[in-house]
Amino acid sequence: MLGLGRPFMLELRGAHRSALPAGGLEALQTQIAQSGVVHVRELRVTEALVQSLIKEGEDGHCKDYRAVVRLGRDVSQVELDALGRQCPVDLAQLTPLRVLHRRSHASRPRSVYALRATRLAPRFASLDLTTQAGTYVKEFVHGDFGRTSPSLGDLLGCEADILQLDVLGVRPARESAQPPPPLPPLPE
């Protein structure tokens, strides 16, 4: 995982205990880390009011991502630099095909607030982008058969496909004009 990841809530229904023993959250966090499957941090118990405030505030956030993309033609760094100057980019996103079975069919206006692209090879690039919460980033890259417009492929005039996507973090929307801060170097 890169960055700080994504916040989440977990509701325990029908729990046999109403409170955790002292040190219970820390022990749970350690046990989860030892699984090697996911990493969690800062676990805490919340009240229903906090949960509703988090859900209400989702649209007031922006999300930072890093993606590795494959492009349908050789693209120069100059072309990639021009992408960032086009921001903010307003998108029209229909519900993606991959989630249509569980989400209502709707058109959602979303924004890419900031984008920084780095050429990795003639047809590969790394994207650091900041988007409005709720933006389908995979579909922004490949266009989802025209269901997201414009897509990265539209902006570059070629096919584009996403190879890797990481959530770097979530920030208040007022910080959306800047691309994600640089990541620290990877540990040896």
Side-chain angles (χ1 to χ4, degrees):
M1 176 186 78
L2 303 174
L4 299 176
R6 132 186 356 236
F8 71 95
M9 290 186 304
L10 174 67
E11 180 180 358
L12 301 177
R13 294 184 179 190
H16 296 287
R17 295 183 197 163
S18 61
L20 289 169
L25 284 176
E26 292 82 6
L28 180 59
Q29 191 167 304
T30 301
Q31 187 177 357
I32 292 170
Q34 290 172 346
S35 75
V37 177
V38 296
H39 177 76
V40 297
R41 61 183 178 81
E42 300 175 27
L43 287 180
R44 58 185 169 261
V45 176
T46 63
E47 301 296 324
L49 174 63
V50 173
Q51 294 173 13
S52 65
L53 289 173
I54 289 172
K55 287 189 174 196
E56 286 175 13
E58 285 176 348
D59 284 338
H61 291 92
C62 60
K63 293 187 177 181
D64 296 325
Y65 296 91
R66 174 161 293 158
V68 176
V69 298
R70 182 187 54 78
L71 303 168
R73 65 175 178 86
D74 292 359
V75 177
S76 70
Q77 186 60 52
V78 172
E79 290 176 281
L80 295 174
D81 290 341
L83 288 173
R85 292 190 294 274
Q86 294 182 42
C87 288
V89 176
D90 294 323
L91 309 176
Q93 289 197 307
L94 290 175
T95 305
L97 293 174
R98 69 182 169 90
V99 299
L100 197 52
H101 66 283
R102 65 178 187 264
R103 296 262 197 274
S104 62
H105 182 62
S107 178
R108 296 170 176 87
R110 293 293 186 253
S111 293
V112 175
Y113 298 125
L115 190 148
R116 180 176 51 229
T118 305
R119 187 174 186 261
L120 300 174
R123 292 183 181 221
F124 294 88
S126 171
L127 301 179
D128 286 343
L129 57 162
T130 300
T131 69
Q132 179 180 0
T135 302
Y136 291 103
V137 175
K138 292 177 184 178
E139 285 69 19
F140 165 66
V141 171
H142 60 66
D144 199 27
F145 301 103
R147 298 174 66 82
T148 292
S149 180
S151 67
L152 179 68
D154 294 337
L155 297 173
L156 289 171
C158 65
E159 288 185 9
D161 200 11
I162 193 155
L163 302 176
Q164 181 178 335
L165 180 64
D166 288 297
V167 177
L168 302 179
V170 179
R171 299 184 282 157
R174 66 181 174 274
E175 299 176 17
S176 66
Q178 298 300 317
L183 294 173
L186 293 173
E188 296 294 324

